[in-house]
């Protein structure tokens, strides 16, 4: 008999909290105020933290980075390189899509080869945002390629 379903992995509440805390702890060590978001594999928000003093507009950017990373299974900082091989229409059109964030600070969350979500950090430089997001990936035992 053919099965029409399969078991899927999903982030636990404890994993979401651990990821948010790890990103915020990494930011605090750098003297940053960030926004950090975790989404599930479908891009739906699971958890969000805004540190006091974090830029207001960075809140939406953090969510969009997590959404983009999960939606394309690609770190958001990889888009500059990824778009180079495409037509001008794709290079201009894709970044113009609502909620697309094509700069560093977002990573897909993959557990044993299965996409389980995405994380996005905004509030520092791209390098600082990526470092905070990597800290969250590390606490979950998920690579931040």
């Amino acid at each position: 008999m053919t099965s029409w379903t399969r078991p899927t992995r999903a982030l636990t509440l404890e994993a979401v909290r651990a990821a948010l805390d790890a990103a915020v702890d990494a930011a605090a060590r750098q003297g940053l105020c960030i926004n950090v978001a975790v989404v599930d594999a479908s891009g739906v928000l699971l958890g969000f933290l805004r540190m006091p003093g974090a830029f207001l507009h960075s809140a939406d950017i953090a969510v969009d980075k997590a959404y983009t990373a999960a939606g394309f299974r690609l770190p958001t900082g990889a888009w500059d390189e990824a778009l180079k091989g495409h037509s001008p229409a794709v290079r201009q059109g894709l970044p113009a899509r609502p909620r697309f964030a094509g700069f560093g600070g977002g990573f897909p969350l993959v557990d044993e080869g299965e996409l389980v979500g995405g994380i996005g950090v905004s509030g520092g430089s791209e390098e600082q945002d990526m470092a905070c997001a990597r800290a969250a990936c590390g606490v979950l035992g998920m690579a931040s390629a």
Side-chain angles (χ1 to χ4, degrees):
M1 181 172 168
T2 301
S3 176
W4 297 98
T5 63
R6 65 176 175 82
T8 58
R9 296 181 186 285
L11 292 167
T12 65
L13 176 60
E14 293 78 17
V16 173
R17 286 179 173 162
L20 295 171
D21 287 344
V24 167
D25 289 346
R29 286 192 302 275
Q30 297 181 68
L32 301 172
C33 297
I34 63 163
N35 293 281
V36 57
V38 175
V39 299
D40 68 13
S42 298
V44 175
L45 188 64
L46 293 173
F48 175 85
L49 281 175
R50 179 173 182 257
M51 295 174 71
F55 298 121
L56 178 61
H57 290 285
S58 290
D60 289 337
I61 294 168
V63 174
D64 291 348
K65 285 181 181 182
Y67 177 82
T68 301
F72 288 100
R73 300 175 188 217
L74 183 71
T76 57
W79 277 104
D80 187 49
E81 188 64 32
L83 289 171
K84 285 183 180 176
H86 291 278
S87 71
V90 172
R91 287 194 312 268
Q92 294 170 11
L94 191 58
R97 298 286 307 153
R99 300 195 61 197
F100 180 87
F103 42 94
F107 292 102
L109 298 174
V110 179
D111 184 40
E112 294 186 21
E114 185 170 346
L115 179 74
V116 294
I119 185 158
V121 173
S122 184
S125 68
E126 283 184 80
E127 293 77 21
Q128 291 167 326
D129 290 351
M130 288 188 291
C132 295
R134 281 189 182 105
C137 292
V139 79
L140 297 178
M142 298 181 191
S144 55

